[in-house]
Amino acid sequence: MLTLGIDPGTARLGFGFVDDTDGLRCLEFGVVETPSAQAMPGRLLVLYDAIEALIARHRPDAIAVEQLFFARNVTNALAVGQARGVVLLAAARAGLDVAEYTPSEVKQAVAGYGKADKAQMGEMVRITLRLAQVPHPDDAADALAVALCHAQTAPFNLRVGA
């Protein structure tokens, strides 16, 4: 199964492809950045076009998206929610299944500890995918972690009928 993991954001959206067909391997990762001076509708269009192009290039079986973590910054939460909506729309247009995971579920699946920090997560992504370096920027490493979480969680969920 090829999974596209997404760490949503409007300024920087992380993405990462993980293939678990024959072991776990990374196909591609990176970020989509939008210009801060651009109005939100234009930024969302940039994100949509980029996600659509990534889907067309790799044809993933599923998309895994980090769920919105609502902390203190309401403005940031709304912007992240808009980016998540764009990702969900692109997935629906492509007919792809979408799985959503909380940050603690991702950390638990990848690092074995639901409160792992960024450095721990980056290193576990690097080790698990046998990469030479920790993926940068953090948004790309986070997206790969979301894809890894799905690669490790989806088979179990299928077996138990979740």
Side-chain angles (χ1 to χ4, degrees), residues 83-95:
R84 278 178 38 81
V86 165
V87 171
L88 298 177
L89 173 62
R93 299 272 314 204

Side-chain angles (χ1 to χ4, degrees), residues 1-6 16 18 20 24 60-66 96-102 105-107 109-110 142-158:
M1 173 177 62
L2 178 59
T3 302
L4 168 56
I6 299 286
V18 171
D20 68 347
L24 291 168
D61 300 302
I63 294 182
V65 183
E66 189 170 74
L96 295 172
D97 290 332
V98 175
E100 300 180 73
Y101 299 98
T102 65
E105 287 173 323
V106 173
K107 292 174 181 182
V110 175
D142 292 348
L144 284 170
V146 174
L148 280 171
C149 175
H150 185 68
Q152 295 175 6
T153 304
F156 175 78
N157 287 342
L158 282 174

Side-chain angles (χ1 to χ4, degrees), residues 6-75:
I6 299 286
D7 179 35
T10 51
R12 192 178 332 188
L13 179 141
F15 68 88
F17 287 91
V18 171
D19 187 356
D20 68 347
T21 306
D22 188 26
L24 291 168
R25 68 185 181 102
C26 173
L27 292 184
E28 180 184 359
F29 65 87
V31 294
V32 177
E33 295 186 80
T34 63
S36 59
Q38 190 171 23
M40 187 56 71
R43 294 174 88 175
L44 295 175
L45 181 59
V46 167
L47 295 176
Y48 179 82
D49 288 344
I51 295 299
E52 192 175 53
L54 288 167
I55 291 169
R57 182 164 60 241
H58 290 291
R59 306 249 186 252
D61 300 302
I63 294 182
V65 183
E66 189 170 74
Q67 285 183 347
L68 181 60
F69 176 71
F70 184 70
R72 297 183 186 108
N73 190 335
V74 175
T75 303

